[in-house]
Amino acid sequence: MAQDHDEVENGFNSSRNDDGHHHHDKKDKNEGEGGKEAEEFSVERAFDGKEVPSWRKQLTIRAFVVSFVLSVLFTFIVMKLNLTTGIIPSLNVSAGLLGFFFVKTWTKFLENSRILRQPFTRQENTVIQTCVVASSGIAFSGGFGSYLLGMSDRIALQSEDTNLGYKNLSLTWIIGFLFVVSFLGLFSVVPLRKVMIIDFKLTYPSGTATAYLINSFHTPEGARLAKKQVRTLGKFFSFSFLWGFFQWFFTAGDNCGFVSFPTFGLKAYEYRFYFDFSAIYVGVGMICPYIINISVLLGGILSWGLMWPLIEKRKGDWYSADLSPTSLQGLQGYKVFISIALILGDGLYNFCKVLSRTLVGLFYQVRTRNASSDLPVAENSSPETAKLSYDDQRRTRLFLKDQIPTWFAISGYVAIAIVSIIVLPHIFHQLKCYHVLVIYLFAPTLAFCNAYGCGLTDWSLASTYGKLAIFTIGAWAGSSHGGVLAGLAACGVMMNIVSTASDLTQDFKTGYLTLASPRSMFVSQVIGTAIGCIVSPCVFWLFYKAFDDLGVPGSEYAAPFAMVYRNMAKLGVEGFSALPKNCLLLCYVLFGAAIVINLIRDSIRKEWARFIPLPMAMAIPFYLGPYFAIDMCVGSLLLFIWEKIDKAKADAFGPAVASGLICGDGIWSLPSSILALAKVQPPMCMKFLSRRTNARVDKFLGF
């Protein structure tokens, strides 16, 4: 689920995303590193006696039944994260672990009943993991917390720019839109799978780490450890779910319950410095690298602890004192546009960095291929087999065995592109067929660059490519011809293509290392994407209908990136005319600071660079506040203490504990949404008042 710093929107997804999204978790890293050492002893020799099933036998009914169940589970989790802060950690470990557990339980039961026809293999495990991550990935690339919600009347009213156009959200057109745009990326990189995996030997750190994890599950020792990890995950899942249920009883009104607990005092609470007892973000903090959590907290201190209180003192000078708190001409405008400046500065720097590395890497790889001056195509065999280890020889032979014909990939891309060019202008009248055609002409190149860059750096730039489309297509369409909606729709088209392209190449790498066929990986990704195109909109619709304040600042589901994306589109169409006084100067300063911080980070030694904060992560609390950063730092602190006490146990069970906390709280959002739809209100409101206010309330009530 490669998700950008949006995934930090999109936050942090299966691979490191350009908006924060991302990076793989610590467990993945450890697995990857451990796997490389194990490679010297040959992973594949441990599986020598086991037959590798054909690609059709890897695609079992039980695998897709389990995939569907887990897809619904993970879609709820990703959607809740998307609509609260936009920070999404890698869920690859959870998907692989739970897939193993469910099918292993299934096969154990059938084995005891003596009706087991096909044993559970690591290839089938890989199919499940691929399908689940593809499906839940649509909850991110579908833009439910960003560009799609940014088109709605709710966000347009808050931005005070309904004159620039909005589109009423409807489940029907959202599902149609996702089906039209979500499959193109899969076809765009299929012809170059051999180039990426075998010829260029790209590492794809998240895909590699996931493969080593799945391989370890299917050894006797790994299966025993996996059983213990699942038991741990189950305990913390139950705790997290019941904690969410318990908290619900105290939330009968606004600012009620544990989520509004003024941990550091009422003045700090006013500036959103408090611990809100959120199990899901404590879990996210345990998975995200320490520097991400510290960066988010630093961003919150800089903005809500320093900048906003100082700008607030300029009320009446820099902006009118009569404006509503949500007006973008007032303090809210500084929050939104300064966070956009940080995101764009970080995104531009990393776009240039990854693109330059991609081009340099490509130049080097092509130059050193003495056999031919052309890029190899998927059908060519590799001339270097003699130099390969036993593992690589076996993996390469099986990877090249089941071909996906290049003609199939090209004709599939062209056919879907034609349908898309015809259909999209009917869904978005502001987006013309020639806009879509231009996107699709450039998309395969950008998809390749993103997939190649992701293989080198584990960093998906899907959100950055989406923002590029916002500005170019929005400015091309113009303000008078619905440039805002055209830009947001183009963002969706571009993001879906480049995101699914990098996801598929990650899956090819995982499949290569687990001997899963490229055909089964491709089919699993297609089925997972199709499931996501239906499940994700339905889950979003449940949230959208259940919570009337979804997308409203300060609410439980504030969806901060919806406002950010809409105002990016507005900037692209109108320029800087709408910014409040001195806001543009501050934007320039923060934009430059993001680039300088990244330059410093990349120019010093690694042991010092890990202490330099990430500007993209710092940008998230600028709009939302630092309360969730405190939750994440609590998660980091717990993991840090655990590692000091027993590092081996923390490495083995930390991801399981974190996944349990995330899954339990995420799944609680399903019953809480149903209760909200049924108009069932909590019985109590737990609220905190100052002594003076409390005395006035007591006096009013006659106590």
Side-chain angles (χ1 to χ4, degrees):
M1 169 166 67
Q3 329 239 286
D4 324 289
H5 302 311
D6 288 330
E7 287 64 207
V8 184
E9 276 159 2
N10 350 131
F12 302 90
N13 262 313
S14 54
S15 60
R16 162 92 171 163
N17 293 297
D18 62 317
D19 290 338
H21 315 255
H22 26 132
H23 39 281
H24 48 284
D25 56 41
K26 300 182 188 83
K27 171 70 176 172
D28 281 344
K29 266 186 176 171
N30 294 338
E31 289 287 352
E33 288 159 9
K36 283 172 190 165
E37 291 167 18
E39 187 82 356
E40 296 168 18
F41 304 101
S42 179
V43 171
E44 292 309 325
R45 288 196 191 278
F47 295 97
D48 253 352
K50 297 185 180 178
E51 183 190 351
V52 178
S54 68
W55 71 272
R56 284 189 176 88
K57 287 187 177 177
Q58 293 171 24
L59 302 167
T60 62
I61 292 173
R62 69 187 179 202
F64 289 114
V65 170
V66 169
S67 295
F68 179 77
V69 172
L70 290 178
S71 292
V72 175
L73 167 72
F74 282 95
T75 298
F76 268 99
I77 294 164
V78 173
M79 196 66 70
K80 178 164 184 175
L81 293 167
N82 229 347
L83 296 174
T84 47
T85 65
I87 296 180
I88 304 169
S90 170
L91 297 172
N92 286 19
V93 171
S94 310
L97 185 62
L98 288 172
F100 174 80
F101 167 70
F102 279 122
V103 181
K104 201 69 178 171
T105 305
W106 185 331
T107 53
K108 196 79 176 171
F109 171 75
L110 293 178
E111 202 174 344
N112 293 337
S113 308
R114 297 185 178 178
I115 53 173
L116 179 64
R117 291 182 182 176
Q118 185 177 341
F120 180 42
T121 62
R122 55 191 174 133
Q123 290 80 25
E124 191 178 350
N125 204 158
T126 307
V127 164
I128 294 170
Q129 193 268 340
T130 297
C131 189
V132 173
V133 171
S135 174
S136 55
I138 299 292
F140 162 63
S141 61
F144 300 102
S146 54
Y147 64 84
L148 206 68
L149 186 58
M151 299 177 186
S152 69
D153 54 341
R154 283 189 195 181
I155 305 301
L157 285 167
Q158 288 176 52
S159 289
E160 300 170 340
D161 58 13
T162 49
N163 59 307
L164 294 176
Y166 60 86
K167 186 169 181 64
N168 290 318
L169 299 183
S170 156
L171 192 57
T172 314
W173 74 253
I174 293 173
I175 292 175
F177 167 71
L178 290 176
F179 265 105
V180 166
V181 301
S182 295
F183 294 91
L184 270 159
L186 302 179
F187 289 93
S188 64
V189 292
V190 163
L192 294 172
R193 69 190 179 282
K194 176 181 171 289
V195 180
M196 305 282 210
I197 307 301
I198 294 174
D199 295 302
F200 290 172
K201 293 182 173 62
L202 297 177
T203 53
Y204 289 100
S206 286
T208 299
T210 304
Y212 283 119
L213 192 73
I214 289 172
N215 282 337
S216 74
F217 287 161
H218 292 267
T219 61
E221 302 80 12
R224 282 194 292 273
L225 177 62
K227 189 182 281 187
K228 292 178 184 175
Q229 288 172 326
V230 168
R231 200 175 296 133
T232 303
L233 190 151
K235 286 178 188 173
F236 283 88
F237 175 95
S238 304
F239 165 76
S240 180
F241 183 88
L242 292 172
W243 175 241
F245 180 47
F246 174 74
Q247 288 187 86
W248 176 80
F249 285 94
F250 302 92
T251 55
D254 293 335
N255 302 317
C256 292
F258 288 91
V259 292
S260 300
F261 197 105
T263 327
F264 308 111
L266 289 167
K267 192 66 180 174
Y269 174 80
E270 189 182 325
Y271 287 95
R272 303 191 185 178
F273 284 93
Y274 58 93
F275 176 62
D276 72 351
F277 294 88
S278 168
I280 198 167
Y281 281 105
V282 172
V284 169
M286 292 180 74
I287 285 183
C288 289
Y290 295 130
I291 191 60
I292 295 292
N293 302 327
I294 297 299
S295 299
V296 174
L297 184 61
L298 280 174
I301 293 169
L302 176 65
S303 54
W304 289 83
L306 187 64
M307 291 176 68
W308 306 157
L310 289 174
I311 293 174
E312 214 170 8
K313 290 180 179 176
R314 302 286 180 178
K315 185 191 286 189
D317 177 14
W318 285 16
Y319 60 94
S320 171
D322 303 324
L323 294 169
S324 75
T326 58
S327 172
L328 289 176
Q329 297 300 315
L331 184 60
Q332 188 79 345
Y334 294 93
K335 294 175 185 176
V336 170
F337 291 112
I338 291 174
S339 64
I340 288 174
L342 258 182
I343 290 168
L344 291 179
D346 186 272
L348 178 67
Y349 176 86
N350 284 298
F351 174 76
C352 294
K353 181 178 82 171
V354 174
L355 187 63
S356 62
R357 282 189 187 178
T358 300
L359 295 175
V360 168
L362 266 175
F363 174 75
Y364 174 77
Q365 301 257 21
V366 173
R367 194 183 63 177
T368 53
R369 286 184 60 83
N370 298 321
S372 169
S373 60
D374 299 321
L375 275 177
V377 292
E379 281 82 354
N380 290 350
S381 60
S382 180
E384 300 171 9
T385 342
K387 304 174 189 173
L388 298 177
S389 67
Y390 172 80
D391 282 7
D392 284 339
Q393 285 185 46
R394 192 170 187 217
R395 289 165 178 169
T396 301
R397 187 176 72 250
L398 286 163
F399 189 78
L400 296 175
K401 180 182 158 192
D402 294 324
Q403 298 292 343
I404 304 170
T406 302
W407 66 262
F408 171 76
I410 294 172
S411 57
Y413 185 89
V414 171
I416 296 173
I418 291 169
V419 172
S420 190
I421 289 166
I422 295 168
V423 172
L424 282 176
H426 287 89
I427 299 175
F428 305 104
H429 303 302
Q430 300 83 355
L431 190 68
K432 305 303 180 189
C433 55
Y434 48 84
H435 294 148
V436 185
L437 176 62
V438 169
I439 291 172
Y440 287 164
L441 288 174
F442 285 100
T445 305
L446 298 178
F448 170 74
C449 289
N450 192 48
Y452 187 95
C454 192
L456 290 176
T457 64
D458 209 27
W459 196 303
S460 170
L461 293 171
S463 292
T464 300
Y465 287 112
K467 290 169 193 134
L468 191 66
I470 287 180
F471 289 114
T472 51
I473 302 298
W476 184 6
S479 177
S480 57
H481 296 95
V484 168
L485 284 184
L488 290 170
C491 171
V493 176
M494 185 64 79
M495 260 182 73
N496 276 283
I497 293 171
V498 297
S499 178
T500 51
S502 65
D503 284 355
L504 181 60
T505 45
Q506 287 269 18
D507 293 332
F508 279 146
K509 182 68 175 185
T510 304
Y512 170 77
L513 293 169
T514 59
L515 305 190
S517 165
R519 286 189 186 178
S520 65
M521 292 291 89
F522 181 77
V523 173
S524 179
Q525 184 90 16
V526 168
I527 291 173
T529 302
I531 292 171
C533 289
I534 296 170
V535 171
S536 289
C538 292
V539 170
F540 169 73
W541 203 246
L542 181 64
F543 278 93
Y544 190 70
K545 289 297 181 184
F547 302 101
D548 294 331
D549 58 355
L550 188 147
V552 175
S555 67
E556 183 181 0
Y557 298 103
F561 284 103
M563 178 74 82
V564 166
Y565 271 61
R566 184 174 182 91
N567 281 281
M568 280 184 192
K570 190 175 171 182
L571 273 179
V573 169
E574 290 191 337
F576 302 121
S577 57
L579 300 182
K581 186 179 178 182
N582 293 322
C583 186
L584 183 59
L585 175 63
L586 290 170
C587 287
Y588 282 144
V589 170
L590 270 294
F591 180 88
I595 293 173
V596 170
I597 290 170
N598 275 306
L599 274 171
I600 294 170
R601 185 179 170 85
D602 286 339
S603 58
I604 61 177
R605 290 200 316 225
K606 269 189 177 177
E607 58 264 33
W608 296 109
R610 62 197 178 98
F611 296 110
I612 305 294
L614 298 167
M616 182 64 73
M618 291 176 68
I620 301 169
F622 270 59
Y623 179 70
L624 271 180
Y627 61 93
F628 67 92
I630 293 167
D631 299 341
M632 291 171 68
C633 286
V634 167
S636 269
L637 180 63
L638 292 174
L639 185 66
F640 180 78
I641 294 169
W642 192 2
E643 285 178 338
K644 290 297 176 189
I645 296 170
D646 189 343
K647 186 162 183 4
K649 209 163 188 178
D651 287 345
F653 293 98
V657 171
S659 299
L661 291 172
I662 292 169
C663 293
D665 201 358
I667 287 303
W668 164 247
S669 61
L670 172 59
S672 73
S673 301
I674 293 169
L675 289 169
L677 279 172
K679 307 296 181 190
V680 177
Q681 296 296 321
M684 293 173 276
C685 171
M686 182 173 76
K687 211 165 201 171
F688 296 87
L689 307 172
S690 67
R691 187 170 59 243
R692 187 180 301 169
T693 306
N694 187 60
R696 285 162 56 198
V697 169
D698 283 352
K699 188 177 178 182
F700 176 77
L701 295 174
F703 288 155

